Structure formats: structure tokens, C-alpha cells
Amino acid sequence: MIRRRDVLGAGAAALAAPRFANAQASAGRVLKFVPQANLTSLDPIWTTANVTRNHAWLVYDVLYGMDASFQPQPQMAAGHTVEDDGKRIAITLRSGLKFHDGEPVRASDCVASLKRWMKRNSNGQKLEPLVEELAALDDTRLQFRLKRPFPRLFDALANPSNPAAFIMPARIAATDPYQQIRETVGSGPFRFLANEYNSGSFAAYARNPDYQPVASGTPSLTAGPKVAYFDRVEWHIITDPATASAALQNGEIDW
């Protein structure tokens, strides 16, 4: 039986430990995967397509992940403080976070990403009217000032439902939330290889050598250390189930 939490957990763990066919023995550290649908959109905020969400868990990271007990856990965040009876929340980023273009992850990137996310996510849409101010205090800290407490703030930030609160560079997150982004740059365990992308046929990802998994905890749903065991992940778009099954049996794909 395939459960929803298993599917989400696999994506969040960056395809860390699947059971797959024997192609891996000869393919080295490359995982050849067939997604359930064609990857037509690369913007996980603009669309609610599950295939784009799964793509995004490879490329992006979030401030808080959700564990299998549905409890939010720090991911990009090192921690937070709550003051003024729950109306002032400051979140501190982990040190050493980098985007795939080499730029450090700054609090301003998180602010821009969350403002775009709030326009499209149902939890964010409930949160947005209560936000007096969402701003970067400095490069490593962002702060919510709320009109009244929002007890489920961290649940909302960690919620894996589409669209999740993925963090992008501010220049990309400045895109109108009702328009698709034109560049795929995250800080997650894999880099998207735009030069190899061919919608309807192929997508590829390379391990991000600068990615620093959370130092403690256990991988659980979208929380915990995300360890990339593969140097490269390939998505082969095979829409016909019989063809995909034959490729699996012949060892041409792994999963």
C-alpha cells in the first residue's frame, strides 16, 4: 500500500533510500526515476501539481519541516523566539546556507519567499491578514509582527501541502505569484540542471556539494537531515505504464 506520507517523505528525503530495480548496480551513483506525470511547470508556488512539488523538494528547502507526527521541526531555521504574547516572532537562520548560484541565503530571501507563498497557500492566506510586518532584522534573522497571535504559524510554515513554503532568492521570489518564475535556484540537496531539461522527456539534478543537512534528528516526512546519496538524479518521463514497467524490468530505470 502506498501512503501519502510515504510519498511525501521520499521526496523530502531527496530520494535517499528507495527500493529500486537492479539498474543501480551498473549505473553508479545515478538514480533513474520515472515520475507519475510530466514536469510541465517548475514553479512550486504557482502550481499545485504534485509532480512539481516533488521536483521542488529536491531543489529547495524550507524554514521548518513537518515530521511524521505532524510536528514542525527547524530545517533552515536554527531556532526562533516568541514575544509580546505571541505577536512578535523572530526566526534565526542556520549558518552556512547557500543558494545554488553561490549566494548566501539571507533573511531578506526568506521574507520575499514567504510573502509570495502567502498569496497562494491556504494557510498563508489565513496568516497574511494578521501580519502587521514581515521583515529582515539583519542577514540571519527575520521577524513577524502580528496584529494578534496566530498559534499555527509554525505548522503553516512546515505544512507540506501544495504549495509549500519553499525558500528562493529574493530576486526570483519577487515574481508575481500569479506568474511563473523563469529561473530555478534553490538551496536544497540537489541542483536543477536547466540545460538538460526537456518537458515531456527528461529532467536532471546534480548533488549540491554545499548543502548542509540539519546536524541532528531523524529523517521523518519533510523534517530531519536530508542526505543526498546520489550524485545525479534523472527523471525519465514515460507516460505509458506498460512501457515504464518494461523499462524497470529491463534494468533501464531504477524507480
Side-chain angles (χ1 to χ4, degrees):
M1 179 182 295
I2 298 176
R3 298 175 300 176
R4 179 174 177 271
R5 84 168 46 168
D6 293 334
V7 175
L8 283 171
L15 312 181
R19 291 184 173 89
F20 42 69
N22 61 5
Q24 198 53 230
S26 59
R29 293 165 63 89
V30 178
L31 176 67
K32 297 182 178 182
F33 171 70
V34 177
Q36 90 282 7
N38 181 28
L39 182 63
T40 57
S41 173
L42 302 176
D43 189 342
I45 303 301
W46 180 82
T47 183
T48 58
N50 286 340
V51 67
T52 303
R53 176 206 62 196
N54 296 344
H55 148 86
W57 282 116
L58 289 167
V59 176
Y60 301 101
D61 212 344
V62 289
L63 291 173
Y64 292 83
M66 185 76 76
D67 67 22
S69 298
F70 301 104
Q71 297 299 312
Q73 304 291 345
Q75 192 64 36
M76 296 174 75
H80 59 263
T81 59
V82 180
E83 300 176 344
D84 193 17
D85 297 324
K87 292 187 291 185
R88 188 185 300 269
I89 299 96
I91 299 172
T92 302
L93 297 177
R94 287 196 286 129
S95 62
L97 299 176
K98 286 184 180 181
F99 286 116
H100 299 153
D101 60 5
E103 285 293 310
V105 177
R106 300 178 175 91
S108 56
D109 300 306
C110 301
V111 168
S113 297
L114 294 180
K115 286 182 176 179
R116 187 170 190 257
W117 163 80
M118 283 192 289
K119 297 290 186 183
R120 301 305 303 261
N121 178 274
S122 58
N123 290 292
Q125 289 166 355
K126 292 181 176 65
L127 170 63
E128 186 180 31
L130 302 181
V131 177
E132 188 77 46
E133 182 185 43
L134 172 56
L137 298 176
D138 52 39
D139 282 351
T140 62
R141 294 181 300 153
L142 60 145
Q143 178 178 264
F144 285 89
R145 286 199 303 109
L146 304 178
K147 299 173 184 177
R148 60 180 174 83
F150 188 74
R152 296 188 63 81
L153 173 64
F154 296 105
D155 296 275
L157 295 178
N159 196 312
S161 298
N162 302 341
F166 296 114
I167 302 302
M168 306 175 180
R171 60 184 173 80
I172 299 176
T175 304
D176 186 305
Y178 297 94
Q179 300 290 330
Q180 295 193 62
I181 59 174
R182 298 183 179 276
E183 189 177 0
T184 303
V185 178
S187 63
F190 287 89
R191 295 182 297 107
F192 177 68
L193 302 178
N195 62 323
E196 297 190 38
Y197 173 58
N198 186 354
S199 180
S201 175
F202 187 76
Y205 308 81
R207 187 177 65 84
N208 174 18
D210 293 325
Y211 185 74
Q212 299 180 15
V214 175
S216 61
T218 302
S220 179
L221 199 57
T222 65
K226 298 176 182 177
V227 180
Y229 291 104
F230 298 99
D231 292 325
R232 179 179 168 93
V233 175
E234 296 179 355
W235 282 24
H236 296 261
I237 312 302
I238 305 176
T239 56
D240 177 61
T243 303
S245 179
L248 184 68
Q249 291 175 332
N250 292 335
E252 297 166 4
I253 61 170
D254 301 305
W255 187 10

